[in-house]
């Protein structure tokens, strides 16, 4: 008789454990547990931090309302090309710019198609070359200030980074006379105070 009771007691215990487990599973599924998030993560692809990094970023110090630029080296840590199609910052509206020679002058203009960083390669952003243009900083960007940025990639991912401001005399660039800058709403003519701005 003791054996029969023990077997019956064990069955009841196992049934209770199974029922509790089922209720717990249903409760977690209804709330959306961490496992659901983890399972969905691979569909978004690798995180931005593993695809592109910004090495040695810095910003040219500038007064409020005066155009300036951010520089650094874009490093592609993947096996496929990455295209940077835009940039944002709470400090200022932004554009991707390049420098080009025209009539013996270095002229600044929007970079059509963005910055392409080949697989496993780098792309330098520097004074006198490609750069991230802060079109009209709302406040002074003083030497030592840290400015935050977000790069927008062609595949929809974003790459946040921060850069410290430092003084820099510029590389002698000027805007193409008569050129209208998209998004700025201001013509770039010889009379414009922005015509001689340097990144």
């Amino acid at each position: 008789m003791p054996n029969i009771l023990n077997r019956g007691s064990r069955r009841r215990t196992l049934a209770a454990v199974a029922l509790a487990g089922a209720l717990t599973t249903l409760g977690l599924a209804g709330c959306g547990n961490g496992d659901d998030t983890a399972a969905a993560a691979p569909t978004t692809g690798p995180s931005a931090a593993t695809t592109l990094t910004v090495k040695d970023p810095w910003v040219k110090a500038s007064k409020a309302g005066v155009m300036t630029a951010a520089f650094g080296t874009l490093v592609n840590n993947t096996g496929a090309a990455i295209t940077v199609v835009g940039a944002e910052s709470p400090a200022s509206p932004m554009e991707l710019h390049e420098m080009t020679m025209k009539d013996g002058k270095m002229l600044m203009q929007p970079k059509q198609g963005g910055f392409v960083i080949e697989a496993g390669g780098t792309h330098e952003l520097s004074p006198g070359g490609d750069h991230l243009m802060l079109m009209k900083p709302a406040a002074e960007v003083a030497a030592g200030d840290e400015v935050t940025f977000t790069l927008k990639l062609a595949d929809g991912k974003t790459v946040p980074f921060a850069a410290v401001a430092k003084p820099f005399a510029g590389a002698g660039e000027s805007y193409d006379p008569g050129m209208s800058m998209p998004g700025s709403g201001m013509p770039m003519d010889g009379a414009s105070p922005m015509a001689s701005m340097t990144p």
Side-chain angles (χ1 to χ4, degrees), residues 12 25 33 59 75 77 91-92 102-103 125 130 133 138 163 170 176 191:
R12 283 195 297 276
T25 302
N33 63 16
V59 183
V75 182
N77 302 302
S92 170
K102 185 175 180 181
D103 299 328
L125 304 178
D130 291 347
M133 197 77 190
D176 190 356

Side-chain angles (χ1 to χ4, degrees), residues 34 42-43 49 64 94 133 135-136 199:
T43 62
M94 295 193 66
M133 197 77 190
M135 300 302 292
K136 192 173 183 181

Side-chain angles (χ1 to χ4, degrees), residues 150-195:
T150 301
L151 297 179
K152 297 189 285 185
L153 309 185
D155 62 5
K157 294 184 178 71
T158 57
V159 179
F161 72 97
V164 175
K166 65 180 184 179
F168 185 75
E173 309 90 347
S174 64
Y175 278 102
D176 190 356
M179 184 174 84
S180 180
M181 298 296 288
S184 69
M186 299 183 72
M188 295 296 161
D189 55 34
S192 169
M194 297 166 71

